[in-house]
Amino acid sequence: LLLVLASGCAHNAHERNRISEGVEQRAPNHKVSALGGTLLGYDYGEFDGGLFFKNEKNTIYKILSENVVGIYSSKNEIFVFTGVSHLLTNEGAINKIENSLSAFPKAKKITNLSGKPYKFFYQKEKRITFMVKEECHAINFSEPKIITVCAH
């Protein structure tokens, strides 16, 4: 009985995240092929946004509700930058996308940022640099959990 209930809960969670229509009416701001499907990132400014995963059967699942301002990948990892800057709000975060045993990947927040990230510079397979409140930061792929302030 417990096994049946647990699998039923997992099925309901998949259904809650499943999006049937409306997502692809606008072109995504960011689109990356990964994990057997496509990550679609939307930034609607103060009107929200989101990160979605479209699998090979064209089923779309919602992963994040925040505005996506960048999606970058190394050989083994995918980073999603989120943020909004509007009126008195200026916030951001870095999420790592993890493949899961469910129907779609999951996002794990690595860190909150003091503001919306911008001015990304992607050095393929090496690092990502980006700005937050006029200060440069970097993620080195050789040590991806370490976010550093750029050397001047």
Side-chain angles (χ1 to χ4, degrees):
L1 181 61
L2 184 59
L3 180 62
V4 172
L5 290 175
S7 66
C9 291
H11 178 72
N12 289 338
H14 291 224
E15 290 301 314
R16 275 195 305 273
N17 286 48
R18 193 163 120 181
I19 308 296
S20 57
E21 54 191 58
V23 172
E24 291 195 315
Q25 291 177 359
R26 262 177 82 174
N29 301 85
H30 307 278
K31 186 176 180 179
V32 174
S33 294
L35 307 171
T38 306
L39 291 166
L40 307 168
Y42 294 86
D43 181 356
Y44 298 146
E46 69 271 23
F47 301 108
D48 215 0
L51 178 68
F52 300 85
F53 178 73
K54 181 177 178 182
N55 68 16
E56 59 277 340
K57 295 179 183 178
N58 290 324
T59 303
I60 298 173
Y61 296 92
K62 188 170 195 172
I63 299 174
L64 290 170
S65 296
E66 295 85 7
N67 284 321
V68 174
V69 297
I71 303 174
Y72 300 93
S73 63
S74 69
K75 286 181 184 175
N76 302 317
E77 298 179 302
I78 302 167
F79 296 95
V80 175
F81 292 79
T82 61
V84 65
S85 181
H86 179 70
L87 299 175
L88 298 176
T89 301
N90 188 4
E91 59 190 24
I94 302 173
N95 298 274
K96 183 177 170 185
I97 302 303
E98 298 179 339
N99 203 358
S100 67
L101 298 176
S102 67
F104 55 94
K106 306 286 188 214
K108 179 181 178 185
K109 186 178 289 184
I110 294 175
T111 189
N112 287 315
L113 299 169
S114 62
K116 180 180 178 179
Y118 61 97
K119 287 189 182 177
F120 294 92
F121 180 68
Y122 175 60
Q123 294 174 295
K124 191 172 179 121
E125 301 305 326
K126 291 184 180 178
R127 69 188 217 151
I128 303 165
T129 58
F130 57 96
M131 302 291 287
V132 175
K133 294 184 175 178
E134 299 184 26
E135 186 174 73
C136 181
H137 298 271
I139 296 177
N140 293 308
F141 288 137
S142 60
E143 301 176 40
K145 292 187 174 88
I146 298 175
I147 300 162
T148 59
V149 175
C150 300
H152 293 288

